[in-house]
Amino acid sequence: MVARRVELSTYSEILGQKVGEEFARQGLVEHGYEADYKALAIAMLRYFVTTREKHRVEAPAALSLKFGEEQIIVLPDDVVVRSDGSRVFRRIRTGHSRSTEVEDVGAAAFVLAARQAFPDAVIELVHLSDETATPVSLTPKKLENRREKLAEFLADIRRGRFPAYPSAYACPGCPAFFICGPTPVGALPKKF
């Protein structure tokens, strides 16, 4: 038991050190919420590590999904192989899960691409803030409906019809962590 405590203690120290180094690289040292962000980051990393325990980790590889001449490339964030040999393809998010996320067209594209390459694959949406790994299991009818919707989306894009729908959940690469748009004048109070 003592050896395990030393291992965990050493692991925690190393994790804290690595997070601190990354905060320095990203210019977050001496940020007003540095301690809070570090605590969040460390908690999320610890949970992520637990999702890989007792699994063999594989390097994620691009999965292809074709719709006629169109092709969607899906890149899982994480791939593990369970002891029974089944592959688990994961999409990892730092935020909280949304109730509709497991049935949207993005999840369907992920399922279709993964199962095309590995028919018995398990697909999971991992939300580090919630500490949840949610399996995506769509019925054959729902998968077919989403496939048709994806084909329509691709046809619309080909025709130049793809209006933007800004989203607090889906806007990729957003530099604003909690705030969309310009920061308001004055101090931002932290509410719990």
Side-chain angles (χ1 to χ4, degrees):
M1 190 60 118
V2 173
R4 179 80 172 145
R5 283 191 192 129
V6 170
E7 283 179 25
L8 290 175
S9 173
T10 303
Y11 170 76
S12 292
E13 289 173 19
I14 292 170
L15 184 59
Q17 179 185 355
K18 294 293 183 186
V19 168
E21 290 170 6
E22 190 58 32
F23 268 56
R25 265 194 291 282
Q26 298 297 326
L28 292 172
V29 175
E30 297 181 19
H31 183 280
Y33 292 108
E34 177 185 5
D36 298 316
Y37 289 164
K38 277 184 180 176
L40 288 169
I42 289 170
M44 287 188 265
L45 286 168
R46 281 191 178 137
Y47 175 69
F48 177 70
V49 169
T50 66
T51 68
R52 290 175 143 200
E53 286 178 351
K54 300 179 183 171
H55 300 304
R56 182 171 48 88
V57 177
E58 287 187 348
L63 304 168
S64 173
L65 186 59
K66 288 199 168 244
F67 293 88
E69 294 180 29
E70 310 302 334
Q71 180 180 20
I72 294 176
I73 302 295
V74 176
L75 183 62
D77 296 314
D78 194 36
V79 180
V80 296
V81 180
R82 293 179 175 165
S83 59
D84 66 1
S86 61
R87 277 185 176 68
V88 181
F89 292 86
R90 295 176 170 159
R91 186 168 69 189
I92 311 290
R93 297 290 179 258
T94 56
H96 299 287
S97 64
R98 294 176 288 124
S99 60
T100 59
E101 192 172 13
V102 294
E103 294 197 0
D104 67 14
V105 292
F110 192 23
V111 170
L112 291 166
R115 292 212 176 128
Q116 181 175 289
F118 298 94
D120 297 327
V122 175
I123 292 77
E124 291 180 344
L125 304 181
V126 177
H127 293 88
L128 301 177
S129 292
D130 295 332
E131 294 188 359
T132 58
T134 308
V136 179
S137 57
L138 298 169
T139 65
K141 178 68 174 163
K142 284 185 180 179
L143 266 178
E144 186 53 36
N145 288 343
R146 301 309 184 277
R147 178 187 286 279
E148 289 171 9
K149 195 176 252 190
L150 278 166
E152 289 173 26
F153 289 164
L154 290 171
D156 283 347
I157 290 169
R158 176 67 70 185
R159 289 189 286 266
R161 288 188 281 169
F162 47 95
Y165 298 105
S167 165
Y169 297 106
C171 293
C174 180
F177 191 51
F178 292 111
I179 303 162
C180 189
T183 305
V185 176
L188 294 173
K190 181 171 135 183
K191 295 181 182 180
F192 291 98

